[in-house]
């Protein structure tokens, strides 16, 4: 017998305001045709004035708790993966903790940009399997709209706001690859690329929040190769291959990157979950939002082999394979 980290529920929240490509074309020199052709994005959500990352996270967390049919008081660990914290400190996770009425356990933020959910799930998995905590809330929540330079057409059309959450609990299982829960995780980073996707502000450097800057073409060049690297590590660790994967749930940055990665890995396009068309790139929220989408419409079912993969600023990248 061994401890496994099993996802027992998931939930999401999207701000109500939809921003279409047509609306962006009124602000910057772009077009619906360019955005759809280059990225697959049709629309994204943008948080209302005064609506904070923690607000999005709390809504998503409540939905995940309801889906898991567990009470907030049973949660002893909260991890919020975000690059758009409410404040420099305290962690957004403690605001979520207070908002949910939880007074015990631990809560902290984790910052790995678009790889945040994969890094978060790996961290939560390690803490649950070590026996340190029993039941965790992992939330990817972002308000990237607040980091965008709305005059820069090369970035402002790409991102959106949202939050997705999962409840993960430690369960004693057989220790085979047929178990439910996280089966393997592979994380990487390479700081030599940190200037290709970054925010030009921060408390220690400029004492401002700053704006997102990206060399899109450079990031694009690395994305498929990095994805393949960690997914192949996950296949090697488990003995599974592309044909065994029931659902591939990648970070949602660009439809061309997603389809290129699936093709290179030999994953059937019918098994790929895509939400970038409706959400844009929501950074750490994109994987849990896509997961929730496929769970809600019953594509992902109990026992399915699910492969998560992300790449983002840093560069950071990673993959997690789990049985739902
Ligand atoms: O989540 C973290 C990871 N992030 C990513 O994975 C993003 C990775 N990068 C990408 O998805 C793509 O590189 C972009 C979608 C950002 C850009 O697509 P691209 O096919 O690489 O286009 P490009 O950057 O090579 O730009 C092509 C042209 C340029 O014009 P010139 O220099 O050829 O005259 C751009 O100025 O398209 C122009 N352009 C635009 N035109 C209309 C750039 N942005 C826009 C725009 N509307 N919004």
């Amino acid at each position: 017998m061994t401890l496994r980290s099993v996802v027992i529920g998931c939930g999401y929240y999207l701000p109500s305001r939809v921003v279409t490509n047509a609306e962006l074309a009124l602000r910057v020199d772009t077009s619906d045709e360019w955005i759809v052709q280059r990225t697959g994005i049709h629309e994204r959500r943008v948080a209302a004035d005064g609506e904070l990352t923690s607000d999005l996270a709390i809504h998503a967390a409540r939905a995940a708790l309801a889906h898991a049919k567990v009470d907030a008081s049973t949660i002893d660990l909260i991890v919020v993966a975000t690059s758009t914290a409410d404040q420099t400190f305290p962690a957004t996770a403690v605001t979520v903790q207070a908002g949910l009425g939880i007074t015990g356990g631990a809560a902290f933020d984790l910052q790995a940009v678009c790889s945040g959910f994969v890094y978060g799930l790996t961290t939560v998995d390690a803490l649950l399997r070590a026996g340190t905590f029993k039941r965790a809330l992992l939330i990817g929540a972002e308000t990237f709209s607040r980091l965008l330079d709305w005059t820069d057409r090369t970035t402002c059309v790409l991102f959106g706001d949202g939050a997705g959450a999962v409840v993960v609990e430690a369960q004693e299982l057989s220790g085979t690859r047929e178990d439910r829960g996280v089966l393997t995780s592979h994380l990487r980073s390479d700081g030599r690329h940190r200037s290709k996707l970054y925010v030009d502000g921060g408390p220690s450097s400029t004492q401002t929040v700053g704006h997102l800057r990206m060399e899109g073409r450079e990031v694009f060049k690395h994305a498929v190769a990095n994805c393949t690297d960690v997914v192949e590590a996950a296949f090697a660790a488990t003995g599974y291959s592309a044909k065994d994967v029931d659902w591939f749930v990648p970070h949602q940055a660009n439809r061309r990157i997603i389809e290129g990665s699936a093709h290179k890995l030999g994953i059937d396009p019918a098994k790929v979950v895509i939400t970038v068309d409706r959400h844009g790139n929501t950074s750490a929220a994109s994987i849990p939002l896509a997961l929730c989408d496929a769970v809600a419409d019953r594509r992902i079912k109990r026992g399915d082999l699910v492969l998560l993969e992300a790449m983002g600023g840093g560069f950071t990248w990673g993959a997690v394979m789990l049985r739902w």
Side-chain angles (χ1 to χ4, degrees), residues 28-31 34-35 37-39 41 113-115 144 152-159 197 214-221 223 251-257 281-283 286 311-313 315:
V28 289
D29 182 16
T30 190
S31 64
W34 190 95
I35 300 171
Q37 192 187 48
R38 300 291 179 127
T39 71
I41 299 168
V113 207
C114 298
S115 309
F144 258 53
D152 175 11
R153 69 174 183 172
T154 69
T155 53
C156 77
V157 304
L158 303 174
F159 295 90
L197 173 49
M214 176 165 72
E215 292 175 38
R217 216 174 298 183
E218 279 296 306
V219 181
F220 195 104
K221 265 191 348 207
H251 170 52
Q252 309 282 316
N254 183 318
R255 193 175 183 118
R256 288 188 293 148
I257 295 173
N281 181 349
T282 56
S283 190
S286 93
M311 185 244 176
F315 293 147

Side-chain angles (χ1 to χ4, degrees), residues 183-231:
L183 302 179
T184 192
S185 290
H186 302 270
L187 301 183
R188 310 256 193 279
S189 59
D190 185 347
R192 288 175 300 174
H193 300 288
R194 67 193 180 283
S195 303
K196 296 190 173 108
L197 173 49
Y198 68 104
V199 170
D200 62 6
S204 169
S205 53
T206 59
Q207 298 83 55
T208 62
V209 172
H211 289 117
L212 183 150
R213 307 292 175 202
M214 176 165 72
E215 292 175 38
R217 216 174 298 183
E218 279 296 306
V219 181
F220 195 104
K221 265 191 348 207
H222 288 84
V224 174
N226 287 353
C227 166
T228 312
D229 158 39
V230 280
V231 168

Side-chain angles (χ1 to χ4, degrees), residues 216-296:
R217 216 174 298 183
E218 279 296 306
V219 181
F220 195 104
K221 265 191 348 207
H222 288 84
V224 174
N226 287 353
C227 166
T228 312
D229 158 39
V230 280
V231 168
E232 282 176 351
F235 286 155
T238 55
Y240 284 124
S241 67
K243 67 176 176 358
D244 301 307
V245 172
D246 292 303
W247 294 104
F248 180 43
V249 188
H251 170 52
Q252 309 282 316
N254 183 318
R255 193 175 183 118
R256 288 188 293 148
I257 295 173
I258 295 170
E259 291 176 346
S261 302
H263 178 75
K264 192 162 176 211
L265 289 163
I267 296 173
D268 178 353
K271 295 177 170 180
V272 183
V273 178
I274 295 184
T275 49
V276 70
D277 52 333
R278 288 168 285 140
H279 302 164
N281 181 349
T282 56
S283 190
S286 93
I287 289 179
L289 278 168
L291 261 179
C292 289
D293 207 60
V295 169

